[in-house]
Amino acid sequence: MKITLKVIGRDLFTMLHEQLGKLNSTFPRLSTQLEHFEWEIIEILAIRPEHLLSYPDMPSALLIDAQEPTYIEKIQLLEKKELTFIKDPPFLPIVMSPIVLIFRSHGVLAEAPDFPDFVADWICTPFLISDLARRVIASLRRKNILKTKLHFGSLTLVPDLRVLSYQSRGIHLTPSEYSLAELFLNQMGTVIPIKDLVMLFRSSGKSTEGSNIRVTIFQLRLKLEMLTKSHYTLGSVYKQGYVLRTKNRATPDPHSISERSATGSLMSGHH
């Protein structure tokens, strides 16, 4: 995923641009290897309203040289106009980019007036580029532009990518499969009643026909077993529902039934 750093201030841009190669080559690769942040740095010569905006598929942050107070004053004026625009009927899923102030020294920071509400974070030079990158990522996540990963033991969900990962491998899920995976992972080892599955599908506007639910569970089970080499599976429990658990081939669950039998159980439970 590419993150754009929009820089206001010539000296600041020059400093950051010199470290772009280091940033892209060393930081940050996530432990799952499923997502690698690519960084782009652009210089903003004349601040325009669109520079304050960030799109979900094009996350960006605004870095401002705090040495020039006129930059902040200009943004305060533009922000009021953009907030009015965003509150109108939302034709595009856009939000305000997080704004990070860059101070030349701790002395300058100590003498700075209170920050406006739109300031997400600040940092003083000299700083490690990795520190700045982490602050930008944290700011993007706080504004829900980058969503955090959901960890469930050795299994991880990446919401914004709809990816289920396991031991540095990942697999993409459909929206329905993702909703099911989140439900089962939150209640690992617990039998999810069929009525709860029907409610989940109904709340997301999906068909609650037994066949649709059964097919989605079957597809998620195949992906889960392929991803984890059958370490995890979705088991069906007679007349009760389904459960996510580790697979123990030596002691099969006497309550588990075949997929064909599950069809009848699910359909009868639905009706």
Side-chain angles (χ1 to χ4, degrees):
M1 176 178 290
K2 179 182 286 187
I3 298 178
T4 300
L5 301 179
K6 298 174 287 191
V7 182
I8 300 177
R10 182 66 186 177
D11 292 342
L12 178 60
F13 172 77
T14 300
M15 180 187 70
L16 294 176
H17 190 266
E18 290 174 350
Q19 300 190 62
L20 178 60
K22 181 180 179 181
L23 185 59
N24 275 321
S25 63
T26 62
F27 184 86
R29 294 177 187 270
L30 302 187
S31 59
T32 62
Q33 298 294 314
L34 291 171
E35 187 177 16
H36 174 75
F37 291 126
E38 178 184 350
W39 299 84
E40 176 187 36
I41 298 178
I42 62 175
E43 182 179 12
I44 304 299
L45 298 176
I47 309 172
R48 297 194 299 271
E50 58 266 28
H51 294 144
L52 303 185
L53 303 180
S54 182
Y55 298 81
D57 57 339
M58 295 184 292
S60 64
L62 202 59
L63 308 183
I64 302 177
D65 186 345
Q67 194 78 6
E68 295 290 342
T70 55
Y71 293 149
I72 299 177
E73 294 170 2
K74 177 71 172 177
I75 288 177
Q76 283 179 308
L77 294 175
L78 292 177
E79 184 206 22
K80 294 179 180 178
K81 297 179 181 178
E82 286 310 303
L83 285 178
T84 301
F85 170 74
I86 292 174
K87 289 177 181 178
D88 284 341
F91 297 102
L92 292 171
I94 53 180
V95 294
M96 298 287 291
S97 294
I99 294 175
V100 179
L101 300 183
I102 313 294
F103 288 89
R104 304 287 182 90
S105 69
H106 288 279
V108 174
L109 172 60
E111 296 176 1
D114 291 341
F115 301 146
D117 292 339
F118 59 72
V119 174
D121 206 344
W122 58 90
I123 191 170
C124 289
T125 59
F127 54 78
L128 295 175
I129 192 67
S130 58
D131 187 15
L132 176 64
R134 290 183 185 277
R135 289 172 182 268
V136 169
I137 290 174
S139 298
L140 288 168
R141 283 182 169 151
R142 282 196 298 271
K143 294 178 75 70
N144 209 31
I145 298 172
L146 287 180
K147 297 182 180 178
T148 56
K149 293 176 179 289
L150 307 176
H151 298 281
F152 305 89
S154 56
L155 289 168
T156 301
L157 279 175
V158 188
D160 50 337
L161 300 177
R162 286 206 314 273
V163 165
L164 178 65
S165 69
Y166 176 79
Q167 294 183 349
S168 299
R169 298 188 301 274
I171 195 164
H172 287 272
L173 305 178
T174 67
S176 295
E177 291 166 357
Y178 178 85
S179 297
L180 277 177
E182 188 174 26
L183 175 64
F184 281 110
L185 285 168
N186 272 304
Q187 302 184 59
M188 177 85 73
T190 300
V191 177
I192 306 297
I194 294 169
K195 62 179 179 63
D196 289 357
L197 300 177
V198 172
M199 289 177 60
L200 175 67
F201 274 64
R202 181 177 293 124
S203 65
S204 60
K206 306 294 182 182
S207 170
T208 57
E209 289 294 326
S211 58
N212 184 50
I213 298 175
R214 184 185 69 255
V215 167
T216 306
I217 289 177
F218 178 70
Q219 291 172 335
L220 179 59
R221 176 191 292 155
L222 285 180
K223 290 184 177 182
L224 185 63
E225 292 186 351
M226 186 187 342
L227 175 68
T228 67
K229 296 182 179 179
S230 296
H231 183 71
Y232 287 91
T233 188
L234 279 174
S236 51
V237 181
Y238 185 60
K239 291 186 177 180
Q240 295 184 48
Y242 291 84
V243 59
L244 174 61
R245 60 187 170 210
T246 55
K247 199 169 185 179
N248 189 336
R249 296 177 180 175
T251 56
D253 188 344
H255 294 294
S256 294
I257 56 179
S258 67
E259 181 64 26
R260 180 176 297 179
S261 299
T263 302
S265 173
L266 181 55
M267 293 301 290
S268 61
H270 175 60
H271 292 297

